[in-house]
């Protein structure tokens, strides 16, 4: 596949790396990560093969929700640096060929944002309708409370104005009214501002909550007669006008970005069932969110790991609909939040809890785990390497959370989601090389024990050819060299072995196979590869070796316990070199 065909849609085979500036690297010794420190470590990401950095919120904030409670969308939190240091970070990343995207958190603001302070000061305030108000607390759906350990309602009384304001998340995060055209215009200005400073796109936080039209729903429930709560007849508070379709907002936002930069993208956090999720792509048009995270595939993967059975993941891949032509799925092993299992049935969720988080302290909100992968897999490097091989071979764009490349663990002493947002581990020395400050000044404590920096760090793994870091580097190199995985049509293959997931990706007559064994036993199986025959061979891309294909397209594959193989189909004279080829050429030169 020609690179000229893929360069415009760079996100389709990108390697995205999520980092929290506050916990990544401290450049001025005050105990808080900053842009100065992050800039000094961009070469680590270049060597790893990262092509896109995703920055978690870095805006001014009271920091009651790890920076997601924002008081100014147009600046940098002074604890993390200055706008000038942000620009230096961007320039350094661009020099290494790395794009940068950032969190777009416009579901809500902090209650300390000047907009909300002005809005609550008077019902006549120009910012009053930038938020969602009600004279009475509306009936709550307990399932709608995002943080049930901290909140029991979606409405909070504002003592100053005597009305209740809506908050889907914490009570100190009042929701913005995206149905208000002025709010939409301001959000577009925010995007335009940061795009002018070099951002290539945004990860959109909690997209379904961003576009939920609460004002219509609440007015409808209060005012509309039975059978007229679908928006066809508005309540008295809406002057009998149908409220706008909030999906117009996503389409307008995407169009605005395309006008500013045709290569800009939106990465959406849309944790819904597949049929409901498709509309956030813009259905067949693909004119809303550019990429959506595959939460269902991720959750089924953990169920497969718990069972040692690949079938739950295979079923989700078969069920997953194709995105629009220029859109894509984003795949991941875990993100910065709890490892949610909300789309599994209750018995399935309990299976995963029993396998990977049996203690209540390891669980969160009754729906997820606050652990990282290596401790969940008892540090078994075979399993860990297999999971990341799976990540980079699955159809979709792989997204890494900082520290995954070295196998960092969690610190359960930290509260809630903070257990996995611990300081990055660069060296085995003081504070893991994160900071020279007193560790008491850190937002979150370092990981301790066998996953602490004295055992798990970048410096040591960079020197060890058998380390997880070097394995990840190899996976990324091969992934970037296999456009079939990102761009091709994929098909789940029948292996006859429940523990094995095998799939193929095809494009422009080229084929790559990927096979992964979820069980602690060696397996041998036959595959029938339609369209291939003995005029071609399969060459291993992760290990040395070549396998022959029979005239009827059959091939025999062996996989070690928790083994993984990627294989490219090609004519023998065009096949990638392996160790046998090197030995043969050396023998011929000696003769």
């Amino acid at each position: 596949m020609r690179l000229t065909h893929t360069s415009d849609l760079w996100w389709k085979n990108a390697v995205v790396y999520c980092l929290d500036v506050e916990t990544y690297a401290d450049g001025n010794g005050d105990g808080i990560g900053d842009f100065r420190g992050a800039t000094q470590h961009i070469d680590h990401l270049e060597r790893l093969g990262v092509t896109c950095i995703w920055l978690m919120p870095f805006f001014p904030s009271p920091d009651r929700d790890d920076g997601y409670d924002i008081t100014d969308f147009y600046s940098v939190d002074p604890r993390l640096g200055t706008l000038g240091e942000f620009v230096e970070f961007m320039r350094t990343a661009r020099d290494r060929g790395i794009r940068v995207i950032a969190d777009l958190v416009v579901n809500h603001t902090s209650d300390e944002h000047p907009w909300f302070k002005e809005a609550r000061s008077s019902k006549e305030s120009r910012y009053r309708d930038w938020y969602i108000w009600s004279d009475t607390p509306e009936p709550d759906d307990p399932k709608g409370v995002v943080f049930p350990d901290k909140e029991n309602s979606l409405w909070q009384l504002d003592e100053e104005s005597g009305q209740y304001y809506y908050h889907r998340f914490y009570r100190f995060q009042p929701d913005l009214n995206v149905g208000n055209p002025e709010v939409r215009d301001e959000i577009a200005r925010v995007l335009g501002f940061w795009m002018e400073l070099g951002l290539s796109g945004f990860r959109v936080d909690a997209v379904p909550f961003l576009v939920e039209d609460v004002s219509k729903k609440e007015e409808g429930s209060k005012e509309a007669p039975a059978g007229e709560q679908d928006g066809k007849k508005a309540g008295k508070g809406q002057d009998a006008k149908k409220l706008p379709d909030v999906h117009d907002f996503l389409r307008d936002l995407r169009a605005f970005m395309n006008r500013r930069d045709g290569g800009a993208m939106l990465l959406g956090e849309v944790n819904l069932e597949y049929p409901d999720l498709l509309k956030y792509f813009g259905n067949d048009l693909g004119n809303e969110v550019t990429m959506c995270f595959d939460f269902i595939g991720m959750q089924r993967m953990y169920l497969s790991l718990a069972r040692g059975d690949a079938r739950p993941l295979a079923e989700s891949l078969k069920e997953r609909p194709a995105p629009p032509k220029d859109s894509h799925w984003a795949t991941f092993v875990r993100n910065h939040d709890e490892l949610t299992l909300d789309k599994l049935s209750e018995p399935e969720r309990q299976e995963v809890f029993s396998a990977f988080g049996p203690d209540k302290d390891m669980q969160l909100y009754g729906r997820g785990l606050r652990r990282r992968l290596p401790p969940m897999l008892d540090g078994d490097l075979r399993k860990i390497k297999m999971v990341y091989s799976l990540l980079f071979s699955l159809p979709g764009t792989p997204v890494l959370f900082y520290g995954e490349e070295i196998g960092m663990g969690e610190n359960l002493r930290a509260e809630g989601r903070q257990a996995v947002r611990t300081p990055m581990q660069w060296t085995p020395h003081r504070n893991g090389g994160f900071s020279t400050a007193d560790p008491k000044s850190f937002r979150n404590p370092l990981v301790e024990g066998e996953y602490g920096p004295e055992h798990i760090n970048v410096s040591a793994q960079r020197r060890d050819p058998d380390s997880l870091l070097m394995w990840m580097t190899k996976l990324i190199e091969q992934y970037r060299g296999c456009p079939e995985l990102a761009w091709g049509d994929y098909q789940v293959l029948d292996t006859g072995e429940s523990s094995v997931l095998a799939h193929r990706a095809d494009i422009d007559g080229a084929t790559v196979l990927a096979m992964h064994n979820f069980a602690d036993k060696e397996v041998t199986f036959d595959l029938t590869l339609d369209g291939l025959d003995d005029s071609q061979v399969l060459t291993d891309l992760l290990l040395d070796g070549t396998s022959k294909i029979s005239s009827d397209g059959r091939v025999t594959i062996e996989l070690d316990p928790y083994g993984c193989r990627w294989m490219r189909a090609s004519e023998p004279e065009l096949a990638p070199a392996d160790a046998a080829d090197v030995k043969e050429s050396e023998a011929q030169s000696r003769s």
Side-chain angles (χ1 to χ4, degrees):
M1 186 172 188
R2 287 164 50 187
L3 289 177
T4 51
H5 288 173
T6 65
S7 57
D8 289 341
L9 304 181
W10 58 270
W11 56 82
K12 277 207 171 188
N13 67 332
V15 177
V16 182
Y17 184 96
C18 172
L19 67 86
D20 185 351
V21 175
E22 187 176 6
T23 57
Y24 202 59
D26 173 14
N28 62 7
D30 65 354
I32 301 171
D34 47 42
F35 277 108
R36 188 182 302 179
T39 302
Q40 292 303 113
H41 288 286
I42 284 182
D43 282 344
H44 163 68
L45 301 180
E46 182 192 23
R47 288 192 294 268
L48 179 61
V50 169
T51 65
C52 178
I53 297 170
W54 156 21
L55 297 173
M56 290 173 62
F58 54 83
F59 314 100
S61 166
D63 212 19
R64 298 172 68 186
D65 184 22
D66 204 18
Y68 284 86
D69 47 330
I70 296 169
T71 57
D72 183 358
F73 290 103
Y74 292 101
S75 189
V76 172
D77 192 310
R79 299 173 308 119
L80 308 182
T82 65
L83 269 177
E85 288 168 331
F86 170 83
V87 170
E88 286 183 346
F89 173 86
M90 296 294 297
R91 188 208 63 79
T92 307
R94 183 173 64 247
D95 180 66
R96 270 66 173 177
I98 300 175
R99 295 176 182 265
V100 181
I101 65 174
D103 262 308
L104 180 66
V105 188
V106 290
N107 314 67
H108 48 67
T109 68
S110 166
D111 59 3
E112 297 181 31
H113 195 293
W115 298 343
F116 189 69
K117 287 184 176 180
E118 177 67 22
R120 74 194 316 179
S121 68
S122 168
K123 293 182 180 180
E124 283 69 47
S125 165
R126 62 160 294 204
Y127 291 106
R128 187 69 176 182
D129 289 338
W130 285 40
Y131 297 88
I132 301 164
W133 302 90
S134 176
D135 288 329
T136 58
E138 301 300 323
D140 284 326
D141 176 4
K143 295 180 181 178
V145 177
V146 175
F147 301 120
D149 62 330
K150 301 292 185 182
E151 303 290 347
N152 57 16
S153 173
L154 303 178
W155 295 89
Q156 178 68 21
L157 177 64
D158 175 45
E159 300 286 353
E160 293 187 38
S161 64
Q163 283 190 310
Y164 293 81
Y165 64 83
Y166 183 82
H167 61 91
R168 171 61 75 170
F169 296 88
Y170 293 111
R171 67 188 66 188
F172 55 80
Q173 292 169 323
D175 272 37
L176 283 165
N177 178 15
V178 180
N180 184 332
E182 290 187 357
V183 173
R184 299 185 190 201
D185 288 346
E186 189 67 27
I187 291 172
R189 290 189 193 97
V190 171
L191 268 66
F193 177 84
W194 292 106
M195 290 174 70
E196 287 298 315
L197 294 181
L199 289 186
S200 293
F202 302 86
R203 175 260 186 186
V204 191
D205 186 53
V207 178
F209 298 148
L210 170 67
V211 301
E212 66 173 349
D213 195 341
V214 179
S215 58
K216 179 171 75 172
K217 180 173 65 177
E218 299 307 330
E219 289 293 342
S221 65
K222 289 185 291 184
E223 306 285 355
E228 295 182 354
Q229 296 182 13
D230 58 358
K232 294 180 179 179
K233 182 174 288 187
K236 290 183 288 186
Q238 301 299 315
D239 297 326
K241 293 180 181 179
K242 182 180 178 181
L243 290 171
D245 178 2
V246 290
H247 278 275
D248 287 344
F249 169 61
L250 285 176
R251 290 190 286 271
D252 290 346
L253 211 58
R254 181 78 177 277
F256 171 84
M257 292 176 63
N258 287 343
R259 291 195 301 272
R260 295 291 179 94
D261 177 1
M265 55 83 82
L266 289 174
L267 171 58
E269 182 188 28
V270 187
N271 183 13
L272 297 174
E273 299 290 349
Y274 289 137
D276 298 323
L277 185 151
L278 277 179
K279 64 183 179 181
Y280 292 93
F281 280 122
N283 294 315
D284 294 337
L285 296 176
N287 59 353
E288 294 186 28
V289 174
T290 316
M291 292 200 299
C292 287
F293 285 104
D294 184 7
F295 279 92
I296 292 176
M298 178 274 294
Q299 296 180 45
R300 297 277 186 86
M301 181 196 74
Y302 279 98
L303 183 59
S304 285
L305 288 171
R307 293 177 175 177
D309 186 338
R311 287 176 293 185
L313 176 57
E315 290 166 3
S316 74
L317 288 173
K318 293 175 182 178
E319 295 168 3
R320 192 174 78 172
K325 180 182 178 183
D326 291 340
S327 303
H328 210 28
W329 293 101
T331 56
F332 63 109
V333 170
R334 77 144 15 262
N335 60 14
H336 56 289
D337 294 330
E338 79 276 8
L339 197 163
T340 185
L341 303 168
D342 65 319
K343 295 299 182 289
L344 299 180
S345 68
E346 184 59 30
E348 291 171 339
R349 189 178 305 117
Q350 292 304 321
E351 281 187 69
V352 179
F353 281 163
S354 296
F356 302 131
D359 298 340
K360 285 294 182 182
D361 188 42
M362 299 173 176
Q363 303 167 18
L364 198 60
Y365 311 136
R367 65 176 184 244
L369 292 165
R370 58 192 206 105
R371 307 195 70 194
R372 284 187 181 247
L373 180 74
M376 287 195 287
L377 300 184
D378 300 320
D380 190 328
L381 198 56
R382 300 172 305 166
K383 296 182 185 179
I384 298 168
K385 287 184 173 182
M386 185 274 287
V387 170
Y388 286 107
S389 169
L390 185 66
L391 171 67
F392 283 98
S393 64
L394 286 175
T397 297
V399 180
L400 292 171
F401 185 42
Y402 78 93
E404 281 191 276
E405 71 271 29
I406 57 173
M408 277 176 56
E410 72 277 348
N411 189 329
L412 295 175
R413 290 198 297 112
E415 182 180 0
R417 297 169 163 187
Q418 303 303 319
V420 300
R421 302 176 184 178
T422 56
M424 181 64 179
Q425 298 168 193
W426 296 104
T427 73
H429 309 304
R430 186 180 181 217
N431 297 332
F434 164 71
S435 174
T436 58
D438 185 336
K440 293 179 182 178
S441 65
F442 299 172
R443 175 182 176 85
N444 295 326
L446 286 156
V447 174
E448 302 168 340
E450 61 182 310
Y451 294 97
E454 61 272 24
H455 303 292
I456 304 294
N457 63 79
V458 172
S459 179
Q461 292 196 22
R462 180 64 63 187
R463 299 167 181 264
D464 180 1
D466 296 321
S467 68
L468 180 60
L469 176 60
M470 299 312 292
W471 174 249
M472 298 279 265
T473 304
K474 183 174 187 176
L475 288 173
I476 291 174
E477 180 182 8
Q478 292 299 335
Y479 162 76
R480 293 284 292 172
C482 293
E484 299 91 340
L485 295 175
W487 288 79
D489 296 323
Y490 73 91
Q491 177 186 0
V492 177
L493 304 175
D494 180 17
T495 66
E497 293 284 345
S498 62
S499 67
V500 175
L501 174 69
H503 68 281
R504 63 183 287 179
D506 298 87
I507 193 169
D508 295 342
T511 300
V512 170
L513 305 178
M515 292 143 289
H516 295 83
N517 183 10
F518 283 69
D520 188 17
K521 65 175 183 177
E522 184 177 325
V523 292
T524 300
F525 54 91
D526 290 334
L527 288 176
T528 299
L529 305 174
D530 295 338
L532 302 182
D533 55 32
D534 55 5
S535 66
Q536 297 165 303
V537 295
L538 293 176
T539 306
D540 272 277
L541 299 178
L542 302 180
L543 304 169
D544 279 321
T546 300
S547 299
K548 294 183 178 180
I549 305 173
S550 69
S551 59
D552 59 354
R554 295 180 66 81
V555 63
T556 299
I557 302 293
E558 296 179 358
L559 283 178
D560 293 332
Y562 304 114
C564 52
R565 296 177 75 176
W566 298 9
M567 309 185 84
R568 178 182 292 285
S570 55
E571 298 175 11
E573 61 272 18
L574 300 177
D578 63 19
D581 295 322
V582 174
K583 292 179 181 178
E584 182 179 347
S585 63
E586 289 176 347
Q588 289 176 349
S589 63
R590 286 195 298 268
S591 62

